[in-house]
Amino acid sequence: PTPTPTATPTPTPVPPTIDRQPTNKTVSIGESATFTVRASGGTPLLYQWQKNGVDIPGANQATYVTPPASASDNGSLFRVTVSNGGGSVTSNSATLAVNLPPAITVQPVDKTVNVGQTAKFSVTATGTKTLTYQWRKNGGNISGALQRSYTTPPAATGDNGALFSVVVTNPYGSVTSDNATLTVK
């Protein structure tokens, strides 16, 4: 009798491994970021990128290029799952940092003081560090007024109605606050 041939088992592919993790990226608003992974293992290798744990439709390559970044993308996490017939592996998360221009979250407010009193104006702003400040009186820069708040010298009658504002600047832009009015009684 002829021996019955034994079926040759199909080998299971070597499970994928990640050889190079995606790295953190920093971009400005409107710029794209490119995340890359290098993986090895039995082919074909299949890729699925995620943003904040959610699959990104069509992001199925070893490299993923984001759409132009917006402020809301700051701090987003990107990772990729690489799979084949032998299993799957998920990369570390890489963080997308977006350089944000300054934005004023609390405007300076009007102040009323008596003659001889000082008034303190302040602002709260956000944006990528480092923020710088320049206070203005009636549109002209006040020498040395470079902090988040500004305290006037003792007010004189002539200061009644003066307008105080501040320009907040970082490497990605600048913003000017609303005017705050000083009333002197």
Side-chain angles (χ1 to χ4, degrees):
T2 308
T4 308
T6 306
T8 305
T10 304
T12 301
V14 174
T17 57
I18 293 180
D19 303 319
R20 187 178 67 221
Q21 298 281 349
T23 57
N24 297 341
K25 302 293 180 182
T26 301
V27 297
S28 293
I29 289 178
E31 294 178 344
S32 294
T34 301
F35 293 98
T36 302
V37 68
R38 188 169 60 217
S40 57
T43 57
L45 292 174
L46 306 173
Y47 300 87
Q48 178 58 65
W49 286 89
Q50 294 181 329
K51 177 182 178 183
N52 298 326
V54 178
D55 286 355
I56 302 167
N60 306 112
Q61 303 295 320
T63 297
Y64 172 65
V65 179
T66 68
S70 66
S72 63
D73 293 318
N74 188 43
S76 293
L77 301 175
F78 291 85
R79 68 183 183 186
V80 63
T81 298
V82 184
S83 59
N84 65 12
S88 67
V89 62
T90 300
S91 73
N92 296 338
S93 292
T95 303
L96 176 61
V98 180
N99 292 320
L100 302 176
I104 294 175
T105 56
V106 179
Q107 296 282 349
V109 296
D110 297 347
K111 300 288 180 178
T112 300
V113 298
N114 294 318
V115 171
Q117 290 183 319
T118 61
K120 182 177 181 179
F121 296 96
S122 63
V123 68
T124 303
T126 60
T128 301
K129 302 207 179 326
T130 295
L131 299 177
T132 60
Y133 302 86
Q134 175 60 69
W135 284 90
R136 304 185 312 179
K137 178 180 179 183
N138 297 325
N141 289 346
I142 302 169
S143 179
L146 306 174
Q147 302 299 317
R148 204 176 72 70
S149 62
Y150 170 68
T151 301
T152 68
T157 307
D159 293 321
N160 186 51
L163 301 175
F164 290 85
S165 62
V166 62
V167 178
V168 184
T169 304
N170 72 5
Y172 312 104
S174 67
V175 62
T176 302
S177 73
D178 296 341
N179 285 317
T181 303
L182 177 61
T183 301
V184 181
K185 297 189 290 184

